[in-house]
Amino acid sequence: MARINTFIKRKSKEYWQIIKQEFYAESAWSYIKNISLTILGSCLVAFAACLFYFPLSIVSGGVSGLVIVLDHFCGLGEEVWNLILTWGLFVFGLITLGFRFSIKTLIATIVYPAFVFVFKYLAQFDLLDITKYLIDTGTLHESLTEFQVTATNLGVYLIGGVFGGAITGLGVALTFVGGGSSGGVDCLILFLQKYFRIKASISSLILDTVIIFAGFFVTQDIMRILVGIIASILCSFLIDKVFLGGTKQYVAFIVTNNYAVLSKEINYKLERGTTLLKSVGGFSGKKGYTVQVCFDRKDYKDLIAIVNRCDKRAFMTVVKADEITGYGFSKRKIKKKYLKVNPFKKKDIVPLEEITPMTKEELLIEDLRINNLKKEKRNDYGEKGKN
């Protein structure tokens, strides 16, 4: 019993520290703005699901696609299945991914199912019912041919898929801008990334493909599946364009006097490596270090919070990266199998407090050492060439 009480107290302190870091890092206005964006984003996602995806049975991946598939086998209603899946995946993420991730999805987990119930009720009215524009092929009108009926139905599905995908992408992007997460299938994607080392983009593609193919066996309609794929592509495109312009990887250069603390915060809180670049102020002539860090799109809001917490006056530049390879990012492809790289050892790590600018004499000695190494390599290559 004492061990259980100790464990509860320790976890409570840990969770409270996380809550303070997440909610006290920014001003009250920023906090209100972020919550408003998360709520608005969840509202848009629920709107797209209830007015386009659910009525037309368009499976485009994500929670809405799973809801359509499961409701076909056990008709509890889309809103009920949506509530079960949203909270079930939230609990799964809390257990496997930790409290820090789950607290970002909490608002969307509460708001999204509530909006689904609201819009599901409103979709019953004739004004918002998109299915009224569908024509039953079994009861053809005398003035319409079979081709006209098929073309009309296809147009309705395309409109539903395009608007559904665009509104969903906009809603998810606004949630990301607000520092939150849409939760849902993202929990499964990050679970595969964390425990099975599968890249997030690949695991997302795999899960969406599985859901879409499951929808094909449920609907038995290739046209709806193709429209679902179009909606999924459009949704991803909108997310990339609205949230930081399209690419998923970035490089930040941060000029600050508090570089030592900032670097450690990024290393341990964001779990990203940093590089300290020697820099000199062009106007002040003051010597210091510029912190360079490579990060993913999902780390952007956390990085901003860390920089504001360490130094609100820090000068930060963020640039898009075409490609980043190495640990934590995509693997570097090496064609030459005989190329060997010496492993990095912990003893080689130099504490930040021990880093001091090199003197002129040390710079001269370092230049001589590098030149001597280059000459030795050239001599070695020359001797190998002669042999």
Side-chain angles (χ1 to χ4, degrees):
M1 192 66 182
R3 290 183 178 179
I4 295 175
N5 292 332
T6 304
F7 175 78
I8 293 173
K9 289 181 181 179
R10 181 167 57 84
K11 282 295 181 182
S12 300
K13 290 182 180 179
E14 180 182 342
Y15 291 163
W16 177 243
Q17 290 296 326
I18 293 174
I19 291 172
K20 287 198 297 184
Q21 291 173 4
E22 293 294 332
F23 293 101
Y24 290 94
E26 300 180 357
S27 62
W29 169 245
S30 298
Y31 181 63
I32 294 172
K33 182 186 72 174
N34 292 339
I35 289 182
S36 301
L37 287 172
T38 303
I39 293 174
L40 178 60
S42 301
C43 176
L44 290 175
V45 175
F47 179 84
C50 294
L51 270 70
F52 299 108
Y53 290 158
F54 293 162
L56 299 175
S57 296
I58 297 176
V59 180
S60 63
V63 172
S64 61
L66 282 174
V67 166
I68 294 171
V69 172
L70 292 174
D71 190 61
H72 175 79
F73 293 105
C74 184
L76 297 177
E78 285 98 348
E79 62 273 23
V80 177
W81 273 116
N82 184 80
L83 180 65
I84 294 172
L85 283 175
T86 302
W87 278 100
L89 290 171
F90 173 80
V91 174
F92 176 79
L94 178 62
I95 296 172
T96 59
L97 301 175
F99 184 74
R100 186 181 295 275
F101 169 79
S102 299
I103 200 171
K104 294 179 181 179
T105 66
L106 181 61
I107 296 175
T109 303
I110 296 172
V111 174
Y112 174 61
F115 277 120
V116 168
F117 276 94
V118 173
F119 287 122
K120 187 69 176 175
Y121 173 75
L122 294 176
Q124 297 176 0
F125 294 96
D126 189 63
L127 181 63
L128 298 176
D129 186 12
I130 194 173
T131 58
K132 68 181 180 180
Y133 298 104
L134 294 173
I135 301 175
D136 188 2
T137 56
T139 57
L140 295 178
H141 195 273
E142 293 179 358
S143 61
L144 296 175
T145 63
E146 185 176 355
F147 174 77
Q148 290 174 326
V149 172
T150 304
T152 301
N153 290 344
L154 178 59
V156 173
Y157 283 117
L158 280 175
I159 290 173
V162 169
F163 278 91
I167 294 172
T168 301
L170 179 61
V172 174
L174 289 177
T175 304
F176 287 161
V177 171
S181 173
S182 58
V185 179
D186 289 347
C187 299
L188 298 176
I189 293 171
L190 295 177
F191 170 77
L192 293 174
Q193 182 183 22
K194 180 178 180 180
Y195 292 97
F196 296 95
R197 301 297 181 186
I198 301 175
K199 198 175 177 182
S201 58
I202 297 174
S203 58
S204 176
L205 177 63
I206 292 172
L207 288 174
D208 284 343
T209 303
V210 170
I211 294 171
I212 289 173
F213 272 99
F216 172 72
F217 289 105
V218 168
T219 61
Q220 295 292 319
D221 190 349
I222 188 65
M223 183 175 65
R224 296 185 191 182
I225 297 304
L226 294 176
V227 172
I229 294 173
I230 293 172
S232 179
I233 294 172
L234 188 60
C235 175
S236 300
F237 177 79
L238 260 294
I239 293 172
D240 287 341
K241 287 300 178 183
V242 174
F243 187 77
L244 284 179
T247 186
K248 295 182 179 180
Q249 297 172 339
Y250 306 87
V251 182
F253 298 92
I254 309 164
V255 181
T256 174
N257 294 328
N258 202 13
Y259 58 86
V261 176
L262 177 62
S263 180
K264 286 185 177 180
E265 285 282 314
I266 295 173
N267 293 155
Y268 293 103
K269 298 294 174 60
L270 196 62
E271 296 182 354
R272 290 293 183 188
T274 56
T275 302
L276 297 180
L277 307 174
K278 289 183 179 180
S279 58
V280 180
F283 177 77
S284 64
K286 187 176 180 179
K287 295 182 178 180
Y289 289 91
T290 297
V291 181
Q292 176 187 345
V293 56
C294 302
F295 62 96
D296 282 331
R297 181 181 63 190
K298 60 183 177 60
D299 300 324
Y300 179 73
K301 294 296 293 186
D302 292 335
L303 178 62
I304 294 295
I306 290 173
V307 173
N308 289 337
R309 188 163 61 246
C310 294
D311 184 5
K312 291 185 178 181
R313 299 183 63 184
F315 185 83
M316 179 175 174
T317 304
V318 179
V319 297
K320 300 175 186 176
D322 292 332
E323 183 181 9
I324 299 178
T325 60
Y327 181 77
F329 297 92
S330 60
K331 293 183 179 179
R332 187 181 298 108
K333 295 181 180 179
I334 302 176
K335 294 183 178 179
K336 297 180 180 180
K337 296 183 180 180
Y338 57 83
L339 182 61
K340 294 182 179 180
V341 181
N342 295 326
F344 187 77
K345 299 179 181 179
K346 290 185 177 180
K347 66 179 183 180
D348 297 327
I349 298 176
V350 180
L352 288 174
E353 55 269 14
E354 296 181 10
I355 298 177
T356 55
M358 298 178 69
T359 61
K360 293 182 178 179
E361 292 79 8
E362 290 174 340
L363 287 171
L364 289 173
I365 294 172
E366 185 66 15
D367 290 339
L368 289 173
R369 185 182 70 82
I370 292 172
N371 290 330
N372 290 332
L373 287 174
K374 289 180 178 179
K375 289 180 181 179
E376 290 177 2
K377 288 183 179 180
R378 290 172 186 169
N379 294 332
D380 290 340
Y381 287 134
E383 291 177 0
K384 289 180 182 178
K386 292 177 181 179
N387 296 331

